[in-house]
Amino acid sequence: MEFVGTECSDGQARIDLMKQRLISFLKWIATLVVAVGFVLCVRQYCVASYRVSTQTMEKALHEGDCILVNKLRIKNNPGKGRAVLFSSPLLRDTLHTPLLLGRCIAVPGDTIVASGEGYVINGHLLPNSPHTYNTYVVDNSIEVNFMKLLHSLNIPLRDRKIAPDSFYLKLTVPEENNLRRQMDAETNNGFRKYKDECYTLIVPRKGMAYRLDAIALVACKDAIYHETGNMAHFDKDKLYIDGRETSFFYFDEDYYWILSDNSTGAVDSRHLGFIPRSHIIGNILLCWYSKDKQHLFKWVN
């Protein structure tokens, strides 16, 4: 009888031990699930890490840098002047929409005056980046001397377009300055910057009655398609909604004007128009990894 009692006691002890191990395992699984869920929630709604794959924000960010992005839907996110991560709002880009980098230069309700010198935001000039390509005109009479000078300074001949008495090309401001320093008076007189037309835009704000002139229709065309789908129709600088002409439009969300620091190969509001709030991931907070030690763990502002 004592032997049987000892055997039953050992069996119960093994059962109790297995129960304890099972409970410990289930607690570990529950902790892991909660931790993974927490990380996923943080990545989805709060902060997430991304790797920079373009040079459009040089020198604020380098290609290959790893960044943290603030995804919280709070005031000043996106903030004016802040580097932001966003996606293309164009309907044709919805299958595999790439993520893009840029700087938010105007927020809902701001007035933008665009010219060849840069952008005037609410009366304050924001000059073009030194890396921005500007268009220049070269008279045919100085073409030989100009081309020799261009070659001697190792400046590429970009986007050449032929006109009856001249040709056009694109240069940065530093390249123009280098050319000017080497030019004689005759060559200098035949080389000039092309004057772009100025235009004025108001950044759409949610619920605001937005007046649609010819310029606004071009800038807002994709934004209106984004909000109305097939109900919108454009014809001869006029907008028709459900077949009825309208000169005003009420937007359902806020929009922003975003430009890249380096326009070379950049895709931003110059190509996409106004960027809706729903397509902006958020402000870029921190560069947490970079081959450039000066960028390592550096706040991006």
Side-chain angles (χ1 to χ4, degrees), residues 193-216:
K193 188 175 182 180
Y194 178 78
K195 292 185 178 180
D196 295 314
E197 292 185 8
C198 293
Y199 58 89
T200 301
L201 296 170
I202 297 176
V203 185
R205 186 174 64 234
K206 181 180 180 180
M208 179 181 73
Y210 195 93
R211 180 181 290 276
L212 298 169
D213 56 20
I215 298 295

PDB file of all heavy atoms in Angstrom, residues 193-216:
ATOM      1  N   LYS A 193      19.870  83.865 -68.837  1.00  0.00           N
ATOM      2  CA  LYS A 193      18.938  82.953 -68.174  1.00  0.00           C
ATOM      3  C   LYS A 193      17.543  83.132 -68.755  1.00  0.00           C
ATOM      4  O   LYS A 193      17.088  84.252 -68.984  1.00  0.00           O
ATOM      5  CB  LYS A 193      18.912  83.231 -66.664  1.00  0.00           C
ATOM      6  CG  LYS A 193      18.112  82.224 -65.848  1.00  0.00           C
ATOM      7  CD  LYS A 193      18.238  82.518 -64.362  1.00  0.00           C
ATOM      8  CE  LYS A 193      17.476  81.499 -63.532  1.00  0.00           C
ATOM      9  NZ  LYS A 193      17.598  81.786 -62.078  1.00  0.00           N
ATOM     10  N   TYR A 194      16.879  82.015 -69.002  1.00  0.00           N
ATOM     11  CA  TYR A 194      15.514  82.058 -69.527  1.00  0.00           C
ATOM     12  C   TYR A 194      14.558  82.458 -68.407  1.00  0.00           C
ATOM     13  O   TYR A 194      14.595  81.918 -67.307  1.00  0.00           O
ATOM     14  CB  TYR A 194      15.122  80.683 -70.082  1.00  0.00           C
ATOM     15  CG  TYR A 194      13.718  80.608 -70.609  1.00  0.00           C
ATOM     16  CD1 TYR A 194      13.396  81.139 -71.853  1.00  0.00           C
ATOM     17  CD2 TYR A 194      12.702  79.999 -69.867  1.00  0.00           C
ATOM     18  CE1 TYR A 194      12.097  81.078 -72.348  1.00  0.00           C
ATOM     19  CE2 TYR A 194      11.412  79.919 -70.346  1.00  0.00           C
ATOM     20  CZ  TYR A 194      11.111  80.459 -71.587  1.00  0.00           C
ATOM     21  OH  TYR A 194       9.829  80.391 -72.069  1.00  0.00           O
ATOM     22  N   LYS A 195      13.704  83.431 -68.682  1.00  0.00           N
ATOM     23  CA  LYS A 195      12.773  83.928 -67.675  1.00  0.00           C
ATOM     24  C   LYS A 195      11.483  83.107 -67.715  1.00  0.00           C
ATOM     25  O   LYS A 195      10.720  83.176 -68.679  1.00  0.00           O
ATOM     26  CB  LYS A 195      12.461  85.403 -67.920  1.00  0.00           C
ATOM     27  CG  LYS A 195      13.650  86.322 -67.670  1.00  0.00           C
ATOM     28  CD  LYS A 195      13.253  87.790 -67.813  1.00  0.00           C
ATOM     29  CE  LYS A 195      14.441  88.707 -67.513  1.00  0.00           C
ATOM     30  NZ  LYS A 195      14.082  90.140 -67.639  1.00  0.00           N
ATOM     31  N   ASP A 196      11.291  82.332 -66.661  1.00  0.00           N
ATOM     32  CA  ASP A 196      10.060  81.550 -66.561  1.00  0.00           C
ATOM     33  C   ASP A 196       8.887  82.451 -66.215  1.00  0.00           C
ATOM     34  O   ASP A 196       9.048  83.490 -65.574  1.00  0.00           O
ATOM     35  CB  ASP A 196      10.200  80.475 -65.467  1.00  0.00           C
ATOM     36  CG  ASP A 196      11.262  79.450 -65.814  1.00  0.00           C
ATOM     37  OD1 ASP A 196      11.266  78.977 -66.951  1.00  0.00           O
ATOM     38  OD2 ASP A 196      12.096  79.146 -64.931  1.00  0.00           O
ATOM     39  N   GLU A 197       7.719  82.029 -66.631  1.00  0.00           N
ATOM     40  CA  GLU A 197       6.518  82.782 -66.289  1.00  0.00           C
ATOM     41  C   GLU A 197       6.200  82.618 -64.802  1.00  0.00           C
ATOM     42  O   GLU A 197       6.314  81.531 -64.240  1.00  0.00           O
ATOM     43  CB  GLU A 197       5.334  82.285 -67.122  1.00  0.00           C
ATOM     44  CG  GLU A 197       5.439  82.599 -68.607  1.00  0.00           C
ATOM     45  CD  GLU A 197       4.192  82.186 -69.352  1.00  0.00           C
ATOM     46  OE1 GLU A 197       3.206  81.797 -68.688  1.00  0.00           O
ATOM     47  OE2 GLU A 197       4.211  82.234 -70.591  1.00  0.00           O
ATOM     48  N   CYS A 198       5.786  83.719 -64.186  1.00  0.00           N
ATOM     49  CA  CYS A 198       5.364  83.668 -62.786  1.00  0.00           C
ATOM     50  C   CYS A 198       3.904  83.206 -62.709  1.00  0.00           C
ATOM     51  O   CYS A 198       3.107  83.504 -63.598  1.00  0.00           O
ATOM     52  CB  CYS A 198       5.496  85.036 -62.129  1.00  0.00           C
ATOM     53  SG  CYS A 198       7.196  85.610 -61.952  1.00  0.00           S
ATOM     54  N   TYR A 199       3.580  82.475 -61.675  1.00  0.00           N
ATOM     55  CA  TYR A 199       2.180  82.092 -61.458  1.00  0.00           C
ATOM     56  C   TYR A 199       1.924  82.024 -59.956  1.00  0.00           C
ATOM     57  O   TYR A 199       2.840  81.838 -59.148  1.00  0.00           O
ATOM     58  CB  TYR A 199       1.846  80.768 -62.136  1.00  0.00           C
ATOM     59  CG  TYR A 199       2.688  79.598 -61.716  1.00  0.00           C
ATOM     60  CD1 TYR A 199       2.328  78.790 -60.631  1.00  0.00           C
ATOM     61  CD2 TYR A 199       3.862  79.265 -62.407  1.00  0.00           C
ATOM     62  CE1 TYR A 199       3.096  77.711 -60.251  1.00  0.00           C
ATOM     63  CE2 TYR A 199       4.637  78.182 -62.032  1.00  0.00           C
ATOM     64  CZ  TYR A 199       4.247  77.412 -60.965  1.00  0.00           C
ATOM     65  OH  TYR A 199       5.019  76.348 -60.589  1.00  0.00           O
ATOM     66  N   THR A 200       0.659  82.207 -59.600  1.00  0.00           N
ATOM     67  CA  THR A 200       0.262  82.235 -58.197  1.00  0.00           C
ATOM     68  C   THR A 200      -0.704  81.100 -57.908  1.00  0.00           C
ATOM     69  O   THR A 200      -1.624  80.839 -58.694  1.00  0.00           O
ATOM     70  CB  THR A 200      -0.403  83.580 -57.847  1.00  0.00           C
ATOM     71  OG1 THR A 200       0.512  84.649 -58.110  1.00  0.00           O
ATOM     72  CG2 THR A 200      -0.807  83.615 -56.378  1.00  0.00           C
ATOM     73  N   LEU A 201      -0.471  80.413 -56.785  1.00  0.00           N
ATOM     74  CA  LEU A 201      -1.316  79.307 -56.358  1.00  0.00           C
ATOM     75  C   LEU A 201      -1.680  79.476 -54.887  1.00  0.00           C
ATOM     76  O   LEU A 201      -0.901  80.028 -54.108  1.00  0.00           O
ATOM     77  CB  LEU A 201      -0.597  77.967 -56.536  1.00  0.00           C
ATOM     78  CG  LEU A 201      -0.237  77.527 -57.952  1.00  0.00           C
ATOM     79  CD1 LEU A 201       0.675  76.316 -57.890  1.00  0.00           C
ATOM     80  CD2 LEU A 201      -1.484  77.218 -58.752  1.00  0.00           C
ATOM     81  N   ILE A 202      -2.842  78.993 -54.530  1.00  0.00           N
ATOM     82  CA  ILE A 202      -3.236  78.905 -53.119  1.00  0.00           C
ATOM     83  C   ILE A 202      -3.377  77.426 -52.783  1.00  0.00           C
ATOM     84  O   ILE A 202      -4.042  76.679 -53.504  1.00  0.00           O
ATOM     85  CB  ILE A 202      -4.554  79.649 -52.843  1.00  0.00           C
ATOM     86  CG1 ILE A 202      -4.391  81.144 -53.131  1.00  0.00           C
ATOM     87  CG2 ILE A 202      -5.002  79.437 -51.403  1.00  0.00           C
ATOM     88  CD1 ILE A 202      -5.661  81.942 -52.967  1.00  0.00           C
ATOM     89  N   VAL A 203      -2.728  76.996 -51.716  1.00  0.00           N
ATOM     90  CA  VAL A 203      -2.761  75.577 -51.333  1.00  0.00           C
ATOM     91  C   VAL A 203      -4.155  75.246 -50.794  1.00  0.00           C
ATOM     92  O   VAL A 203      -4.640  75.909 -49.878  1.00  0.00           O
ATOM     93  CB  VAL A 203      -1.690  75.272 -50.269  1.00  0.00           C
ATOM     94  CG1 VAL A 203      -1.664  73.781 -49.966  1.00  0.00           C
ATOM     95  CG2 VAL A 203      -0.314  75.747 -50.735  1.00  0.00           C
ATOM     96  N   PRO A 204      -4.828  74.239 -51.366  1.00  0.00           N
ATOM     97  CA  PRO A 204      -6.196  73.901 -50.934  1.00  0.00           C
ATOM     98  C   PRO A 204      -6.269  73.516 -49.459  1.00  0.00           C
ATOM     99  O   PRO A 204      -5.418  72.795 -48.949  1.00  0.00           O
ATOM    100  CB  PRO A 204      -6.563  72.711 -51.831  1.00  0.00           C
ATOM    101  CG  PRO A 204      -5.687  72.841 -53.022  1.00  0.00           C
ATOM    102  CD  PRO A 204      -4.396  73.414 -52.511  1.00  0.00           C
ATOM    103  N   ARG A 205      -7.323  74.027 -48.823  1.00  0.00           N
ATOM    104  CA  ARG A 205      -7.598  73.694 -47.422  1.00  0.00           C
ATOM    105  C   ARG A 205      -8.962  73.027 -47.331  1.00  0.00           C
ATOM    106  O   ARG A 205      -9.890  73.393 -48.045  1.00  0.00           O
ATOM    107  CB  ARG A 205      -7.564  74.962 -46.557  1.00  0.00           C
ATOM    108  CG  ARG A 205      -7.701  74.689 -45.061  1.00  0.00           C
ATOM    109  CD  ARG A 205      -7.523  75.945 -44.229  1.00  0.00           C
ATOM    110  NE  ARG A 205      -8.569  76.920 -44.509  1.00  0.00           N
ATOM    111  CZ  ARG A 205      -8.345  78.176 -44.871  1.00  0.00           C
ATOM    112  NH1 ARG A 205      -7.108  78.600 -45.033  1.00  0.00           N
ATOM    113  NH2 ARG A 205      -9.349  78.995 -45.105  1.00  0.00           N
ATOM    114  N   LYS A 206      -9.077  72.069 -46.465  1.00  0.00           N
ATOM    115  CA  LYS A 206     -10.319  71.309 -46.311  1.00  0.00           C
ATOM    116  C   LYS A 206     -11.502  72.243 -46.049  1.00  0.00           C
ATOM    117  O   LYS A 206     -11.447  73.084 -45.151  1.00  0.00           O
ATOM    118  CB  LYS A 206     -10.175  70.310 -45.163  1.00  0.00           C
ATOM    119  CG  LYS A 206     -11.400  69.447 -44.922  1.00  0.00           C
ATOM    120  CD  LYS A 206     -11.161  68.483 -43.778  1.00  0.00           C
ATOM    121  CE  LYS A 206     -12.386  67.621 -43.519  1.00  0.00           C
ATOM    122  NZ  LYS A 206     -12.166  66.666 -42.397  1.00  0.00           N
ATOM    123  N   GLY A 207     -12.547  72.100 -46.862  1.00  0.00           N
ATOM    124  CA  GLY A 207     -13.766  72.875 -46.665  1.00  0.00           C
ATOM    125  C   GLY A 207     -13.736  74.277 -47.238  1.00  0.00           C
ATOM    126  O   GLY A 207     -14.752  74.976 -47.206  1.00  0.00           O
ATOM    127  N   MET A 208     -12.589  74.713 -47.774  1.00  0.00           N
ATOM    128  CA  MET A 208     -12.469  76.063 -48.317  1.00  0.00           C
ATOM    129  C   MET A 208     -13.038  76.115 -49.725  1.00  0.00           C
ATOM    130  O   MET A 208     -12.818  75.204 -50.528  1.00  0.00           O
ATOM    131  CB  MET A 208     -10.998  76.493 -48.330  1.00  0.00           C
ATOM    132  CG  MET A 208     -10.752  77.875 -48.905  1.00  0.00           C
ATOM    133  SD  MET A 208      -8.963  78.316 -48.907  1.00  0.00           S
ATOM    134  CE  MET A 208      -8.380  77.258 -50.236  1.00  0.00           C
ATOM    135  N   ALA A 209     -13.780  77.194 -50.054  1.00  0.00           N
ATOM    136  CA  ALA A 209     -14.274  77.397 -51.415  1.00  0.00           C
ATOM    137  C   ALA A 209     -13.098  77.832 -52.276  1.00  0.00           C
ATOM    138  O   ALA A 209     -12.593  78.941 -52.143  1.00  0.00           O
ATOM    139  CB  ALA A 209     -15.377  78.452 -51.421  1.00  0.00           C
ATOM    140  N   TYR A 210     -12.653  76.953 -53.143  1.00  0.00           N
ATOM    141  CA  TYR A 210     -11.439  77.179 -53.929  1.00  0.00           C
ATOM    142  C   TYR A 210     -11.825  77.642 -55.326  1.00  0.00           C
ATOM    143  O   TYR A 210     -12.480  76.919 -56.079  1.00  0.00           O
ATOM    144  CB  TYR A 210     -10.628  75.884 -53.999  1.00  0.00           C
ATOM    145  CG  TYR A 210      -9.204  76.049 -54.457  1.00  0.00           C
ATOM    146  CD1 TYR A 210      -8.178  76.215 -53.537  1.00  0.00           C
ATOM    147  CD2 TYR A 210      -8.884  76.042 -55.810  1.00  0.00           C
ATOM    148  CE1 TYR A 210      -6.862  76.363 -53.957  1.00  0.00           C
ATOM    149  CE2 TYR A 210      -7.582  76.191 -56.235  1.00  0.00           C
ATOM    150  CZ  TYR A 210      -6.577  76.354 -55.300  1.00  0.00           C
ATOM    151  OH  TYR A 210      -5.280  76.505 -55.717  1.00  0.00           O
ATOM    152  N   ARG A 211     -11.415  78.875 -55.681  1.00  0.00           N
ATOM    153  CA  ARG A 211     -11.721  79.412 -57.002  1.00  0.00           C
ATOM    154  C   ARG A 211     -10.797  78.785 -58.047  1.00  0.00           C
ATOM    155  O   ARG A 211      -9.579  78.727 -57.855  1.00  0.00           O
ATOM    156  CB  ARG A 211     -11.567  80.933 -57.022  1.00  0.00           C
ATOM    157  CG  ARG A 211     -11.880  81.554 -58.386  1.00  0.00           C
ATOM    158  CD  ARG A 211     -11.684  83.059 -58.348  1.00  0.00           C
ATOM    159  NE  ARG A 211     -12.707  83.705 -57.558  1.00  0.00           N
ATOM    160  CZ  ARG A 211     -13.914  84.035 -58.019  1.00  0.00           C
ATOM    161  NH1 ARG A 211     -14.232  83.755 -59.286  1.00  0.00           N
ATOM    162  NH2 ARG A 211     -14.786  84.626 -57.248  1.00  0.00           N
ATOM    163  N   LEU A 212     -11.362  78.360 -59.137  1.00  0.00           N
ATOM    164  CA  LEU A 212     -10.621  77.648 -60.158  1.00  0.00           C
ATOM    165  C   LEU A 212     -10.412  78.522 -61.393  1.00  0.00           C
ATOM    166  O   LEU A 212     -11.323  78.720 -62.192  1.00  0.00           O
ATOM    167  CB  LEU A 212     -11.378  76.369 -60.561  1.00  0.00           C
ATOM    168  CG  LEU A 212     -11.573  75.331 -59.449  1.00  0.00           C
ATOM    169  CD1 LEU A 212     -12.546  74.258 -59.897  1.00  0.00           C
ATOM    170  CD2 LEU A 212     -10.255  74.720 -59.047  1.00  0.00           C
ATOM    171  N   ASP A 213      -9.187  79.071 -61.534  1.00  0.00           N
ATOM    172  CA  ASP A 213      -8.816  79.734 -62.774  1.00  0.00           C
ATOM    173  C   ASP A 213      -7.985  78.756 -63.609  1.00  0.00           C
ATOM    174  O   ASP A 213      -7.830  77.583 -63.252  1.00  0.00           O
ATOM    175  CB  ASP A 213      -8.059  81.039 -62.502  1.00  0.00           C
ATOM    176  CG  ASP A 213      -6.819  80.830 -61.631  1.00  0.00           C
ATOM    177  OD1 ASP A 213      -6.331  79.684 -61.556  1.00  0.00           O
ATOM    178  OD2 ASP A 213      -6.345  81.809 -61.018  1.00  0.00           O
ATOM    179  N   ALA A 214      -7.430  79.218 -64.733  1.00  0.00           N
ATOM    180  CA  ALA A 214      -6.703  78.322 -65.633  1.00  0.00           C
ATOM    181  C   ALA A 214      -5.498  77.685 -64.946  1.00  0.00           C
ATOM    182  O   ALA A 214      -5.231  76.486 -65.103  1.00  0.00           O
ATOM    183  CB  ALA A 214      -6.270  79.080 -66.881  1.00  0.00           C
ATOM    184  N   ILE A 215      -4.734  78.488 -64.162  1.00  0.00           N
ATOM    185  CA  ILE A 215      -3.557  77.966 -63.465  1.00  0.00           C
ATOM    186  C   ILE A 215      -3.964  76.970 -62.384  1.00  0.00           C
ATOM    187  O   ILE A 215      -3.369  75.895 -62.237  1.00  0.00           O
ATOM    188  CB  ILE A 215      -2.737  79.117 -62.854  1.00  0.00           C
ATOM    189  CG1 ILE A 215      -2.214  80.050 -63.947  1.00  0.00           C
ATOM    190  CG2 ILE A 215      -1.588  78.573 -62.023  1.00  0.00           C
ATOM    191  CD1 ILE A 215      -1.233  79.406 -64.891  1.00  0.00           C
ATOM    192  N   ALA A 216      -4.992  77.319 -61.606  1.00  0.00           N
ATOM    193  CA  ALA A 216      -5.439  76.444 -60.519  1.00  0.00           C
ATOM    194  C   ALA A 216      -5.951  75.115 -61.052  1.00  0.00           C
ATOM    195  O   ALA A 216      -5.748  74.066 -60.441  1.00  0.00           O
ATOM    196  CB  ALA A 216      -6.515  77.142 -59.694  1.00  0.00           C
TER     197      ALA A 216
END
